[in-house]
Amino acid sequence: MAVMFLGSALPALGAGAAPALADDGAPSAAADRTAESRASALAVKTGERVALDVRTTESSQVFANPDGTFAQEMNAAPVRARKNDGTWAPIHTTLVRDASRA
């Protein structure tokens, strides 16, 4: 079962979610390079939600939504595992112990 939290009150994102402002009130170049700002811009451009891979864990995932908000989906138990190459793969829940290999 996944639980979703919507909006900008997402504590997992911390200060990195808000764009840093330059002295003139415009977002700074550093703010435009954060994973959150890149994902948010891509979500707006494509009209699709975009996963923030840097915020993915075994049991949660954060998405940038096209409307500028972020959503975090959390699971009570792990649903993915990190592979040797650093990518995530779903956990195979159908695996069973082979009694002949005990």
Side-chain angles (χ1 to χ4, degrees), residues 84-95:
N84 289 340
D85 65 2
T87 61
W88 292 98
I91 293 175
H92 295 282
T93 58
T94 58
L95 296 177

Side-chain angles (χ1 to χ4, degrees), residues 1 4-6 10-11 14-16 18 25 36 39 43 47-48 57 59 76 86 90 98:
M1 175 183 217
M4 183 180 291
F5 299 100
L6 295 175
L10 190 70
E36 290 85 356
E48 305 271 329
T57 68
S59 59
D98 184 351

